[in-house]
Amino acid sequence: MSTFQAPKGTYDLIPPRSAKFLAVREAISAPLKNSGYGYIETPGFENVELFARGVGESTDIVSKEMYAFETKGGTKLALRPEGTASVLRAALEANLHKAGNLPVKLWYSGSYYRYERPQAGRYRHFSQVGAEAIGAEDPALDAELIILADQAYRTLGLREFRILLNSLGDKECRPVYRDALQGFLRELDLDEDTRRRIEINPLRVLDDKRADVQKQLVGAPMLRDYLCDACKAYHEEVRELLTAAGVAFEDDEKLVRGLDYYTRTTFEFVHDGLGSQSAVGGGGRYDGLSEMIGGPELPSVGWALGVDRTVLALEAEGIELELPASTSVFAVPLGEEARRVLFGIVTELRREGIATDFAFGGRGLKGAMKSANRSGARYTIVAGERDLGEGVVQIKNMESGEQSAVALGLVVEELRSRLSS
Ligand code: ATP
Ligand code: MG
């Protein structure tokens, strides 16, 4: 160990477990790439104001969890705590919403930072794959995104996840509900912090996990009873499209999500094997966000799935992903001359697209064969002075142990045909 360790709340992805993270990112993004979503990458930090306005001053994310700092030049920046505000900012800046047909569909993958209390499944640096569909109000778009996330999780083999679904109403009906809820909440016996929350963001009080708070919330007015006809019809359509697609979901009228920008459809993917950090991903419609950050009216919908928690979910279900062995052929030279010849063959095999590795460092046969075993290679090629003198190398089948001599000029051809069978 060196003098240094990974900072608190962070961890390193190292082989072999790191391969699962790549596979999860690939599995989540594949259905998006296949459905008209283009890849977008934005900076790891943004003007702090973007998140303050976009995510919401009163949210935990902005008020407690953000890594905000001032540059030497006096600019106030923040490490990105989430993806949506940045992606929308970038889309507006590039005028993507004017360039062609709406919606603009984008997907992203990257690191996010939140100063949280570290615990299982909750880190200060984590990664997400997300998708945003900008500039269209269409229940089929909400349904599409939920269906694609469901498809991603199913391809990974996950079974013990559930989809929670709710509607948060719109600018017509939400204020009416908000008033009614505030009236109810103000009568309860709550602490200072929560009382303050009632005035800033009363819906989030419903999300309070404490049992004594939950007990008092029985009988609280429910948004469902306040939804306007347009919101009701929209939500019903989303539900019907999901049902028609065979995607099971649960209505959860208490699902409000921690971000201020959500309107209408909101959803969360939860996994039952993860303990208290059970949300693996979430999202929803954010029709007002563009205007909140100074853009035009652009009703949009999106989600972000947490890669770290998805890997934990795979492990909780005991799912072994079928990851192709990273090495198919391993080369073991015995002596200087063999080192040059086999290194040449290794290069040739790699150019043919065959995953090949080499015993570096001039160790003895025993150590080199150990590396060959550990690499997971199906074949090892071994050559010493005598083999080269006869113009051959030995090809060893690592599973059966069988070994045969193959002429130098035919090695690549021979391995290609053996590997494809
Ligand atoms: P939670 O309720 O667990 O705090 P959240 O509502 O803050 O989650 P979102 O902002 O919706 O989470 O982010 C989407 C996903 O990103 C989460 O479902 C989760 O998988 C992942 N995520 C969020 N925060 C963290 C974190 N601190 N560490 C690891 N993953 C995280
Ligand atoms: Mg959170």
Side-chain angles (χ1 to χ4, degrees):
M1 199 153 91
S2 82
T3 322
F4 301 104
Q5 283 173 278
K8 186 174 173 193
T10 72
Y11 63 104
D12 304 303
L13 300 181
I14 45 179
R17 192 167 179 256
S18 54
K20 294 188 197 174
F21 284 72
L22 284 182
V24 163
R25 290 191 187 108
E26 177 56 31
I28 299 174
S29 55
L32 297 168
K33 293 182 217 166
N34 196 37
S35 310
Y37 289 76
Y39 178 65
I40 184 167
E41 204 167 305
T42 64
F45 50 81
E46 295 274 352
N47 192 312
V48 69
E49 233 358 76
L50 173 70
F51 300 120
R53 281 212 245 160
V55 179
E57 254 358 308
S58 77
T59 59
D60 284 353
I61 293 181
V62 170
S63 64
K64 299 185 198 150
E65 299 171 2
M66 207 151 63
Y67 282 90
F69 60 99
E70 198 172 310
T71 65
K72 290 190 175 70
T75 312
K76 292 197 166 69
L77 300 175
L79 300 186
R80 57 183 181 189
E82 60 103 51
T84 303
S86 315
V87 168
L88 187 55
R89 193 269 307 140
L92 291 171
E93 190 171 332
N95 278 319
L96 295 185
H97 58 298
K98 293 183 185 159
N101 294 335
L102 294 176
V104 176
K105 302 207 288 186
L106 301 166
W107 75 274
Y108 59 87
S109 172
S111 291
Y112 296 85
Y113 307 86
R114 295 184 193 175
Y115 189 74
E116 304 207 62
R117 195 166 68 78
Q119 48 198 298
R122 189 176 296 286
Y123 313 105
R124 291 181 172 175
H125 165 267
F126 57 97
S127 76
Q128 293 183 335
V129 175
E132 315 290 350
I134 298 164
E137 193 182 72
D138 183 341
L141 198 54
D142 308 40
E144 165 175 293
L145 277 162
I146 297 172
I147 292 166
L148 294 176
D150 178 79
Q151 187 182 330
Y153 278 164
R154 291 197 179 276
T155 358
L156 282 168
L158 288 167
R159 288 294 172 269
E160 292 162 28
F161 69 91
R162 291 176 291 130
I163 301 172
L164 310 179
L165 185 69
N166 194 19
S167 171
L168 290 183
D170 64 5
K171 57 178 186 277
E172 297 300 318
C173 52
R174 180 122 120 239
V176 183
Y177 170 68
R178 191 185 143 105
D179 279 352
L181 181 63
Q182 280 176 326
F184 175 89
L185 294 173
R186 284 183 192 127
E187 301 301 313
L188 304 182
D189 178 25
L190 298 165
D191 59 278
E192 257 321 287
D193 256 11
T194 313
R195 301 201 75 82
R196 213 169 305 126
R197 188 170 293 160
I198 294 174
E199 303 311 319
I200 306 168
N201 195 339
L203 269 74
R204 287 192 40 246
V205 179
L206 296 179
D207 211 16
D208 203 308
K209 304 281 189 291
R210 290 170 296 182
D212 61 309
V213 178
Q214 279 302 323
K215 214 164 55 203
Q216 297 190 64
L217 290 175
V218 176
M222 295 316 287
L223 184 49
R224 185 188 44 190
D225 303 321
Y226 286 76
L227 288 185
C228 62
D229 288 343
C231 283
K232 256 189 232 161
Y234 193 96
H235 195 55
E236 203 37 53
E237 180 73 13
V238 174
R239 296 175 77 258
E240 277 169 23
L241 289 166
L242 291 176
T243 305
V247 172
F249 58 88
E250 296 169 22
D251 293 305
D252 181 355
E253 54 195 27
K254 282 201 180 148
L255 180 73
V256 296
R257 314 257 317 120
L259 293 78
D260 274 358
Y261 52 57
Y262 287 117
T263 50
R264 289 197 169 167
T265 315
T266 44
F267 49 89
E268 200 156 86
F269 285 73
V270 293
H271 192 275
D272 292 325
L274 294 186
S276 49
Q277 268 57 254
S278 62
V280 284
R285 182 155 276 284
Y286 48 93
D287 293 342
L289 179 58
S290 172
E291 286 157 295
M292 280 157 76
I293 63 168
E297 191 185 340
L298 280 174
S300 307
V301 55
W303 50 243
L305 305 185
V307 176
D308 308 73
R309 288 188 199 167
T310 303
V311 170
L312 292 174
L314 287 169
E315 292 171 349
E317 285 197 43
I319 296 168
E320 289 294 336
L321 298 176
E322 279 179 31
L323 304 172
S326 46
T327 302
S328 301
V329 176
F330 199 94
V332 176
L334 304 171
E336 261 314 293
E337 173 66 7
R339 200 170 65 91
R340 267 189 301 268
V341 172
L342 286 200
F343 191 69
I345 292 174
V346 164
T347 302
E348 235 182 294
L349 286 165
R350 288 172 174 170
R351 285 180 179 150
E352 288 292 317
I354 295 171
T356 308
D357 206 354
F358 185 71
F360 290 99
R363 288 172 306 150
L365 180 62
K366 213 168 138 215
M369 287 311 288
K370 214 186 243 174
S371 301
N373 266 317
R374 211 173 280 159
S375 76
R378 284 173 64 193
Y379 294 98
T380 297
I381 47 183
V382 188
E385 246 168 70
R386 181 158 13 115
D387 299 306
L388 294 183
E390 291 168 14
V392 300
V393 303
Q394 304 294 327
I395 296 186
K396 182 175 177 188
N397 181 324
M398 298 299 278
E399 207 183 320
S400 66
E402 267 170 70
Q403 189 168 310
S404 53
V406 174
L408 267 174
L410 298 176
V411 178
V412 174
E413 193 47 53
E414 176 67 21
L415 281 168
R416 192 179 25 215
S417 86
R418 286 208 205 176
L419 283 165
S420 64
S421 66

